[in-house]
Amino acid sequence: MSKETNRVLGHADEADGIEEYDNPLPDWWVGLLWLTVIWAVGYGVWYHFIADKSQEGHLAAEMQAAEVQWPEQAVTAVAFAITPEAVAAGEAIYTQNCLMCHGAALEGGIGAALNDDEWIHGGEAEEVIRIITEGVPEKGMLTWGPILGPEKINQVAAYVLNRNAELTGN
Ligand code: HEC
């Protein structure tokens, strides 16, 4: 309990006649204050040095856990190669699925032209495979990954790249 001294500070003349008592704070209150001060020091040491709760540490730990749970998958899950077989198989896939937007001669139309050196998303095999797999849904290019699967996507990419090389002379 507080020690009530009921001592008056005696500056009523400066405060419109209002008197102020000088009563110390209750011991339990002061005790609580010191407890929080001591706690804060201990918690600070634990947080920064013992448990390392820094944002960097947190992120690194989460990334590591995510890496274990969802290992990075290669875009080309199936080996990619421009072979005559792949190109032939790819042509059939192209005619069935892609021709109506990209044209019989890869000249484009609804879809982007694939018969020139201009690539919106890059003309490397990996980039072409990625864009066919993931699509550009907001532009009308479907996400073909789940529809065709990696092998057929590799084949149609082989056809597109092979035909593109023929047309551009690259
Ligand atoms: C419904 C129309 C449509 C169909 C069908 C379609 N595409 Fe597309 N495609 C598009 C559009 C539109 C774009 C341009 C996306 C953009 O502007 O980012 C595109 C872009 C592309 C690109 C990237 C071109 C670049 O310049 O980077 C490739 C590669 C591609 N399509 C291949 C294919 C293949 C292979 C198929 C068949 C499996 C296919 N597309 C079917 C509409 C289509």
Side-chain angles (χ1 to χ4, degrees):
M1 282 290 110
S2 68
K3 301 164 236 64
E4 293 208 4
T5 63
N6 284 346
R7 191 166 69 89
V8 172
L9 286 177
H11 50 206
D13 51 333
E14 298 163 17
D16 292 339
I18 298 167
E19 284 290 3
E20 186 185 354
Y21 286 117
D22 178 24
N23 286 336
L25 291 159
D27 288 344
W28 65 263
W29 198 99
V30 178
L32 216 62
L33 172 71
W34 282 110
L35 217 66
T36 59
V37 170
I38 293 159
W39 178 267
V41 172
Y43 186 78
V45 169
W46 173 80
Y47 188 95
H48 291 288
F49 303 110
I50 298 170
D52 186 17
K53 294 276 181 185
S54 71
Q55 293 187 14
E56 284 89 356
H58 245 292
L59 181 67
E62 275 183 30
M63 293 301 279
Q64 218 169 11
E67 192 55 47
V68 172
Q69 197 168 354
W70 301 285
E72 195 175 340
Q73 286 172 351
V75 177
T76 46
V78 180
F80 173 77
I82 301 180
T83 60
E85 296 78 32
V87 171
E91 182 166 14
I93 298 162
Y94 182 89
T95 306
Q96 209 180 347
N97 301 286
C98 323
L99 189 145
M100 64 275 213
C101 288
H102 289 286
L106 274 58
E107 74 276 15
I110 298 168
L114 305 173
N115 62 350
D116 52 24
D117 287 329
E118 307 284 324
W119 295 96
I120 304 166
H121 303 280
E124 295 298 319
E126 196 179 301
E127 295 164 322
V128 170
I129 291 166
R130 182 189 295 275
I131 211 69
I132 299 170
T133 306
E134 295 175 0
V136 192
E138 68 275 17
K139 297 276 181 63
M141 170 66 182
L142 278 159
T143 302
W144 291 97
I147 302 168
L148 296 176
E151 193 179 355
K152 286 184 175 170
I153 286 178
N154 279 1
Q155 290 167 343
V156 78
Y159 169 73
V160 167
L161 288 166
N162 185 59
R163 194 74 199 282
N164 177 272
E166 283 171 8
L167 293 166
T168 57
N170 287 338

